[in-house]
Amino acid sequence: MDTDKKKIVTFGELLLRLAPPGVERFVQANSFDVRYTGAEANAAVSLVNFGMEAYVVSKVPANEIGQACLDYLSRFRVNVDHVARGGERLGLFYLETGAAQRPSKIIYDRSRSAICDSGPGDYDWDEICAGKDWFHFSGTLPALGEKPRARLSEALVAAKAAGLTVSCDLNYRAKLWSPQEAQRIMPGIMERVDVLIGNEEDAEKVFGMKAESSDSSKGLLPEESYAELAKRLAAKFGFKSVATTLRQSISASANGWSGILCDGKSVYASRKYTIEPIVDRVGGGDSFSGGLIYSMLSGHSLQDCIEFAVAASCLKHSIPGDFNLCSLDEVRALVAGEKAGRIQR
């Protein structure tokens, strides 16, 4: 084990993803492609690919499906030593991949999943956080109920006591909770968050704070309005940094993609990419989180941090599945301007 590697702890639900092949619809599918995933685990895979050490903390059932999930993550060199075993079932979701003007669709089946029954004895947070550099979670975890929220609170206390930087990807999901419940729960969690990550809609849903003149449904994403919103969020909650992805949805197959990063005073904007065709956009935000955490832990300038994170997540859209399996060199090449997609030989 390389003791010089930066070490990141991620905490969240692990899931089974079932998707019809290609762009088939649910009603015509005769089979489903199987992958294991989770917002925080997706970020962890990116970090390992970039040369860092990432730990996934979660809970999966003590049966063959739970073991298959852990084996799958281990294939990508993610550390699963702190995943608790037990509970009723592994949560799952069904994904129908959209194309052209037909949007993608996700159906959740996550009730009574193993992490929803996490107990205080499932995780030794002092041990988990010892010697680590960063702690990452997303808003899908507190959306799952009181027990996951209690475990998250324990984790955040230990992470801050151990001196870890804490990041949160807001990851608002309307199918998991309402804006009213999110606005009741999430502000109290933010007092222990250093780096906030979100997309163009998250702040409005989670905090009731909207970028002026924006309308994501119409592709109206004025950069200056989101920059001002980032400054307001930093001032309100004391974040050291606020990062926002900006997705212009041209169709299910084509998106504009960029981002901004704010340190409370200055705002840094990335270049904008047009991603077409999109192979798989699920996990795109998680790959942004992984890229941002990597570049910030590497001591890059904030301009370089946002460029790297956006480029990494741009490349993820070309890869089937939730994981960003791009190498550090591939992301650096895109940042440097190599975007023609020519064959490498």
Side-chain angles (χ1 to χ4, degrees):
M1 183 179 297
D2 187 351
T3 56
D4 293 330
K5 285 184 177 181
K6 297 295 184 180
K7 299 176 177 63
I8 303 94
V9 175
T10 69
F11 181 39
E13 185 177 26
L14 293 173
L15 296 157
L16 172 63
R17 163 178 150 163
L18 299 174
V23 293
E24 288 186 5
R25 305 218 69 181
F26 290 134
V27 294
Q28 71 183 123
N30 294 312
S31 64
F32 290 91
D33 294 330
V34 175
R35 289 183 170 90
Y36 296 92
T37 178
E40 297 81 4
N42 297 340
V45 171
S46 287
L47 288 158
V48 171
N49 285 339
F50 299 150
M52 293 186 171
E53 203 169 299
Y55 298 74
V56 168
V57 183
S58 190
K59 187 171 185 177
V60 300
N63 57 29
E64 290 84 352
I65 299 300
Q67 189 60 49
C69 177
L70 299 186
D71 291 346
Y72 186 84
L73 291 174
S74 296
R75 284 170 49 191
F76 298 95
R77 295 171 288 124
V78 172
N79 186 300
V80 295
D81 291 347
H82 300 293
V83 176
R85 302 300 298 272
E88 186 174 336
R89 60 190 292 264
L90 192 70
L92 62 90
F93 70 92
Y94 301 88
L95 169 66
E96 180 182 274
T97 300
Q101 277 63 48
R102 175 171 62 83
S104 296
K105 181 180 293 185
I106 287 178
I107 298 173
Y108 287 133
D109 182 5
R110 300 169 75 162
S111 62
R112 307 184 316 281
S113 66
I115 202 166
C116 293
D117 195 36
S118 294
D122 283 334
Y123 315 106
D124 184 339
W125 289 114
D126 290 337
E127 177 187 347
I128 292 169
C129 293
K132 308 303 192 301
D133 300 286
W134 196 288
F135 181 92
H136 178 68
F137 71 100
S138 84
T140 58
L141 180 62
L144 296 174
E146 292 298 331
K147 289 184 178 180
R149 290 170 201 162
R151 303 294 80 77
L152 175 60
S153 179
E154 296 162 359
L156 291 175
V157 169
K160 297 309 290 184
L164 278 65
T165 299
V166 173
S167 60
C168 172
D169 182 353
L170 290 176
N171 246 355
Y172 177 78
R173 297 292 180 264
K175 293 184 177 181
L176 293 181
W177 58 353
S178 67
Q180 292 76 20
E181 187 176 11
Q183 290 172 28
R184 179 175 65 86
I185 298 297
M186 289 297 284
I189 297 174
M190 294 299 104
E191 64 185 29
R192 294 192 174 96
V193 172
D194 302 298
V195 178
L196 184 73
I197 303 166
N199 65 26
E200 70 279 354
E201 296 180 292
D202 282 339
E204 181 181 0
K205 301 296 185 183
V206 176
F207 301 126
M209 299 171 65
K210 179 177 171 62
E212 293 182 8
S213 304
S214 65
D215 188 339
S216 58
S217 65
K218 297 179 180 179
L220 300 176
L221 305 175
E223 188 177 285
E224 62 278 6
S225 294
Y226 284 96
E228 185 59 35
L229 175 60
K231 290 180 180 179
R232 287 163 52 203
L233 286 166
K236 180 177 177 65
F237 295 104
F239 302 128
K240 296 177 181 177
S241 300
V242 176
T244 303
T245 58
L246 300 175
R247 183 188 296 276
Q248 181 186 20
S249 292
I250 302 165
S251 71
S253 303
N255 284 178
W257 186 248
S258 61
I260 60 171
L261 178 61
C262 174
D263 63 1
K265 296 180 181 178
S266 300
V267 176
Y268 304 85
S270 78
R271 74 192 69 179
K272 181 178 178 179
Y273 298 93
T274 298
I275 309 172
E276 184 179 15
I278 294 173
V279 173
D280 193 335
R281 62 164 283 182
V282 179
D286 305 325
S287 63
F288 176 86
S289 294
L292 185 70
I293 294 168
Y294 163 79
S295 51
M296 294 186 84
L297 274 174
S298 298
H300 296 170
S301 71
L302 293 186
Q303 184 65 54
D304 288 344
C305 285
I306 191 63
E307 295 288 5
F308 185 92
V310 169
S313 51
C314 172
L315 289 173
K316 193 275 144 216
H317 287 70
S318 70
I319 301 171
D322 289 31
F323 293 166
N324 186 8
L325 302 178
C326 289
S327 69
L328 191 56
D329 286 343
E330 288 171 324
V331 179
R332 285 173 172 167
L334 181 56
V335 171
E338 297 179 21
K339 56 185 179 180
R342 295 175 63 87
I343 295 176
Q344 297 180 352
R345 24 170 153 222

